[in-house]
Amino acid sequence: MLKLKIKLFALFLCGTLGLQAQTNQYKYKRELKGISTTWNGLQLPNQLFSKVQVGLADLRIYGYKGKDTVEVPYILEQSANQITESETPFNIINKSSNANAFYYTFQASAVSTINQIKLSFKQLNFDWRVVLEGSNDNQNWFTLLKDYRILAIKNNQTDYKFSELNFPTASYKYFRMAIKASEQPELTAAKVLKTDTLKGVYKTVAYRNYNILNDKANKTTSATIDLAEPTPLSYLKINLSRDIDFYRNLTIEYATDSFKTEKGMQYNYEPLFAGTISSLELPEFNFPGTLLSRLKLTIENNDNKPLYISSFELKGPVYELVGRFDDQNLNYFLYYGSKDPTTPIYELKNFENKIPMTVNTLTIGDEQLNPNFKSDPKKTPLFENKLWLYGLMVLIIALLGFFAFKMLKN
């Protein structure tokens, strides 16, 4: 009887120590509820991102029940847009001109469905208008674009080019382009494409406030946007007045850290995007999902009047974690908040095609402090802590004495 009780205690102790050893580097945990099948998924809540490491390397799922402890393999997916392009082979069968325009006729090998033509010209500076038409018999033509503007500017201050024809999807065998220009356009390349965008799932990101400063001395407009909380961001739209034509250099940066000075709080920034904001294109900008809390925009006005910015729209990707829960009878928790994590390597990523298209959605509990957390577990390993060992020895001796006394009494 004594041996059985000691064995049960030892198994309980090993199970407890095993879980502690696996989870003591994570400061936070959240209970996962609703596990009823093998494949389960959950969306990571916004409040979690301020506690995790860059790249989300410190996310772990552990399940336990008594002495059984398992780590759940998972994949982490970001629901961004997926863009595919398919190019259509074609020949330029006619080049001509008249007093009104220069004409180029493209012939595909068969009736083709396209929605974009990318053009390249030898000229570095131009401002032309384009008419695009489609036909299946090279006789009857139907207008796809009318008075469409393409533009290129290259000088010491600007290097900007917009020479893509974007139009609603159309199916024709012939496409005719008329360029209204004062000089012969020197067309060096053209790509006829069908572009498809599989829309990802994005969530609106709230910002607390923003501040716009027009700097006359440096001829710039800068804007800082403070988010309501640290959140992954991948999309920015600038709502502004477009009553004039413009094209200006734009940089987008995010704050990596801050420090106090006599002039107030100062920030260090890293680049997110560098390009151009133009009246020819929607003022929408996409970049890799980045965890941030403060955004900075800088527009170079040169000698032009500043643009009027009315507001901003921010969006971020939805991060979905899908895991394989082989034992649905365990108690599962999501752990995070490690100072020195290593990215987990699960073979699951090599078999993503085995994951069902739809998975059970879990409920994620409120954030809890992990009672097993040690601020620096590497410096004080469990079995090198003398106080812990002495306490464990006293506990074991006391239990052995208690069971021995009970046996003698019986």
Side-chain angles (χ1 to χ4, degrees):
M1 186 68 177
L2 175 61
K3 290 183 178 179
L4 176 60
K5 291 182 177 179
I6 293 175
K7 185 176 180 181
L8 290 174
F9 169 72
L11 289 173
F12 168 78
L13 183 63
C14 290
T16 303
L17 294 179
L19 180 64
Q20 289 181 353
Q22 287 178 295
T23 64
N24 62 8
Q25 62 177 303
Y26 304 101
K27 189 173 182 179
Y28 307 100
K29 68 176 185 177
R30 290 174 180 258
E31 186 176 4
L32 302 181
K33 302 177 183 179
I35 299 168
S36 59
T37 184
T38 301
W39 296 103
N40 299 272
L42 61 112
Q43 288 187 7
L44 300 182
N46 275 353
Q47 297 80 6
L48 177 145
F49 291 108
S50 62
K51 311 289 180 62
V52 297
Q53 295 294 322
V54 175
L56 307 180
D58 56 335
L59 291 179
R60 298 291 189 279
I61 298 177
Y62 291 109
Y64 69 91
K65 187 176 184 181
K67 65 182 179 64
D68 295 325
T69 304
V70 297
E71 180 174 352
V72 174
Y74 69 83
I75 60 171
L76 189 63
E77 298 179 335
Q78 182 183 150
S79 56
N81 287 346
Q82 297 181 20
I83 300 175
T84 59
E85 291 184 349
S86 55
E87 186 172 356
T88 297
F90 69 92
N91 295 311
I92 298 179
I93 61 172
N94 187 29
K95 294 181 182 181
S96 60
S97 65
N98 58 25
N100 298 319
F102 297 87
Y103 295 87
Y104 302 83
T105 303
F106 306 105
Q107 180 183 16
S109 56
V111 174
S112 300
T113 301
I114 68 169
N115 55 17
Q116 186 181 78
I117 299 177
K118 294 183 178 180
L119 304 170
S120 296
F121 299 93
K122 187 175 181 180
Q123 287 95 333
L124 301 179
N125 292 276
F126 58 81
D127 186 356
W128 300 327
R129 302 285 176 165
V130 176
V131 174
L132 181 67
E133 300 171 303
S135 172
N136 282 323
D137 57 9
N138 205 14
Q139 299 292 326
N140 299 297
W141 294 93
F142 302 91
T143 302
L144 299 174
L145 292 174
K146 186 177 181 180
D147 201 33
Y148 189 93
R149 189 179 184 187
I150 58 176
L151 176 72
I153 301 174
K154 187 169 185 177
N155 52 40
N156 294 333
Q157 297 177 331
T158 304
D159 187 358
Y160 174 72
K161 181 174 69 173
F162 178 73
S163 57
E164 294 180 1
L165 308 183
N166 297 294
F167 47 92
T169 300
S171 296
Y172 293 104
K173 187 173 182 178
Y174 300 93
F175 294 91
R176 183 169 66 187
M177 178 176 65
I179 301 178
K180 299 177 181 180
S182 59
E183 61 176 320
Q184 171 74 56
E186 298 184 50
L187 183 65
T188 58
K191 292 179 69 175
V192 178
L193 303 166
K194 172 67 164 61
T195 302
D196 292 305
T197 301
L198 179 61
K199 291 290 185 181
V201 180
Y202 291 87
K203 55 186 175 183
T204 300
V205 175
Y207 56 85
R208 186 170 61 251
N209 55 56
Y210 65 86
N211 181 57
I212 298 175
L213 174 64
N214 292 313
D215 188 337
K216 293 183 179 180
N218 293 314
K219 302 179 181 180
T220 62
T221 295
S222 62
T224 55
I225 309 171
D226 291 306
L227 274 58
E229 59 186 352
T231 309
L233 191 72
S234 59
Y235 168 90
L236 166 68
K237 181 180 179 182
I238 305 174
N239 294 319
L240 44 74
S241 173
R242 303 179 69 185
D243 55 351
I244 60 171
D245 287 329
F246 60 87
Y247 39 86
R248 304 182 189 181
N249 291 333
L250 167 71
T251 57
I252 304 175
E253 303 170 287
Y254 71 101
T256 55
D257 54 41
S258 60
F259 53 94
K260 289 184 178 180
T261 68
E262 295 179 354
K263 297 181 179 180
M265 192 68 71
Q266 300 295 316
Y267 297 87
N268 290 320
Y269 290 94
E270 290 288 338
L272 268 181
F273 173 88
T276 304
I277 183 170
S278 165
S279 57
L280 298 180
E281 303 175 79
L282 289 175
E284 300 176 330
F285 306 94
N286 295 278
F287 36 84
T290 305
L291 179 64
L292 56 90
S293 58
R294 183 181 177 91
L295 204 61
K296 181 181 179 181
L297 289 68
T298 304
I299 300 174
E300 297 180 11
N301 297 321
N302 297 317
D303 295 319
N304 305 293
K305 72 175 184 178
L307 301 176
Y308 175 72
I309 299 174
S310 59
S311 62
F312 302 94
E313 294 178 30
L314 308 177
K315 293 182 182 179
V318 173
Y319 286 88
E320 184 177 16
L321 185 153
V322 178
R324 188 186 67 219
F325 295 74
D326 296 320
D327 189 344
Q328 290 89 54
N329 296 317
L330 303 184
N331 300 312
Y332 289 96
F333 287 83
L334 175 68
Y335 289 85
Y336 55 95
S338 174
K339 289 185 178 180
D340 188 24
T342 56
T343 302
I345 301 175
Y346 300 123
E347 60 186 6
L348 190 63
K349 67 180 181 180
N350 299 318
F351 303 96
E352 290 190 38
N353 60 327
K354 301 287 186 178
I355 300 175
M357 293 297 293
T358 58
V359 298
N360 180 49
T361 301
L362 299 181
T363 300
I364 184 168
D366 295 333
E367 184 175 270
Q368 308 173 39
L369 288 174
N370 178 15
N372 300 325
F373 173 69
K374 291 185 180 295
S375 59
D376 197 349
K378 292 185 178 180
K379 289 187 178 179
T380 57
L382 189 62
F383 292 103
E384 291 183 15
N385 188 317
K386 292 183 179 180
L387 291 176
W388 194 94
L389 287 173
Y390 290 150
L392 180 61
M393 290 176 63
V394 169
L395 178 61
I396 294 174
I397 292 171
L399 286 170
L400 289 173
F402 172 73
F403 292 136
F405 176 76
K406 286 196 68 175
M407 288 186 66
L408 290 173
K409 187 176 180 181
N410 294 332

